Amino acid sequence: QLSHLQEDDPTAVEIHYKRDASKVDRAKVPKYVPGQTCANCSLYAGAPGDTDGGCGLFIDKDVAAAGWCDAWDKKA
Ligand code: SF4
């Protein structure tokens, strides 16, 4: 079990990561589109139904399935 990526982690701040995608500030982060979450990002490695899982950007941290960051990329 990896530790969770914290929102105040410097890298998380840089990429506007939120554990709850609905908390992304759309005024500051206009590229965010509601409905995008880590769970439907191509870099997410969590199993369906898991609340947290690995992310290709972070070797030693889990991200929230309901989260989001600037690097979101549509899962094929
Ligand atoms: Fe979530 Fe994808 Fe960003 Fe990783 S790259 S934190 S899975 S949105």
Side-chain angles (χ1 to χ4, degrees), residues 15 17 37-38 41 43-44 55-58 63 67-69 71-73:
I15 63 175
Y17 172 77
T37 62
C38 292
C41 171
L43 285 90
Y44 184 66
C55 164
L57 294 183
F58 301 97
V63 299
W68 187 88
C69 88
W72 184 89
D73 178 59

Side-chain angles (χ1 to χ4, degrees), residues 8-70:
D8 61 0
D9 177 291
T11 307
V13 170
E14 196 175 320
I15 63 175
H16 300 116
Y17 172 77
K18 292 286 181 198
R19 289 191 56 81
D20 176 352
S22 70
K23 301 277 165 55
V24 174
D25 182 345
R26 297 184 70 189
K28 284 191 190 138
V29 194
K31 71 176 283 189
Y32 166 69
V33 177
Q36 296 176 345
T37 62
C38 292
N40 59 31
C41 171
S42 68
L43 285 90
Y44 184 66
D50 286 356
T51 56
D52 287 79
C55 164
L57 294 183
F58 301 97
I59 50 166
D60 59 351
K61 300 268 194 265
D62 270 350
V63 299
W68 187 88
C69 88
D70 282 350

Side-chain angles (χ1 to χ4, degrees), residues 1-12:
Q1 179 78 28
L2 301 173
S3 61
H4 300 310
L5 176 64
Q6 299 298 315
E7 291 180 357
D8 61 0
D9 177 291
T11 307

